[in-house]
């Protein structure tokens, strides 16, 4: 599905906006540790790049990677040692929304294929 607007493309735009919010958050909101800052920047950059790629040329694997990145945002505060900080709450909240939207898009795409 290259270059064609899909009904589900709006979810990729939402993920792109969340990636931008997550990218700027270490500067404005959740300054915690270097590990937290690097995690939020790297994960947001990956979500942003994959969201743009999904908008330009959708492939099924892109949403699975975004789902995994959302789950990573949920788990990373404990794995990287920035639990019990404001960055943890921000990472988990954005991670839940990103993972939900990726799962929703996966479900919508597979549901459409069954028709």
């Amino acid at each position: 599905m290259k270059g064609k607007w899909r009904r589900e493309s709006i979810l990729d735009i939402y993920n792109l906006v969340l990636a931008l919010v997550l990218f700027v958050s270490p500067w404005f909101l959740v300054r915690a540790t270097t590990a937290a800052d690097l995690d939020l920047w790297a994960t947001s950059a990956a979500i942003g790049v994959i969201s743009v790629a999904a908008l330009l040329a959708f492939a099924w694997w892109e949403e699975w990677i975004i789902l995994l990145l959302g789950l990573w945002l949920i788990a990373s505060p404990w794995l990287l040692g920035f639990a019990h900080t404001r960055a943890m709450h921000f990472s988990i909240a954005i991670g839940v929304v990103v993972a939900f939207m990726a799962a929703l898009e996966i479900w919508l795409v597979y549901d459409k294929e069954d028709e």
Side-chain angles (χ1 to χ4, degrees), residues 7-8 107-115:
R7 167 182 71 151
E8 299 85 6
W107 180 74
L108 290 171
V109 168
Y110 284 118
D111 187 53
K112 187 185 331 181
E113 289 176 358
D114 290 341
E115 294 176 358

Side-chain angles (χ1 to χ4, degrees), residues 11-85:
L11 296 171
D12 292 315
I13 292 173
Y14 293 153
N15 274 336
L16 183 59
V17 169
L18 285 171
L20 292 172
V21 169
L22 193 62
F23 189 80
V24 300
S25 66
W27 287 300
F28 296 110
L29 302 172
V30 293
R31 191 83 48 217
T33 65
T34 304
D37 293 349
L38 292 175
D39 176 48
L40 297 178
W41 287 327
T43 307
S44 66
I47 291 170
V49 167
I50 295 170
S51 295
V52 168
L55 286 169
L56 297 176
F58 178 77
W60 63 270
W61 56 267
E62 292 163 334
E63 296 311 317
W64 285 101
I65 292 176
I66 290 179
L67 175 64
L68 292 174
L69 289 169
L71 295 174
W72 166 254
L73 283 171
I74 296 167
S76 66
W78 291 277
L79 297 173
L80 297 178
F82 62 94
H84 309 296
T85 64

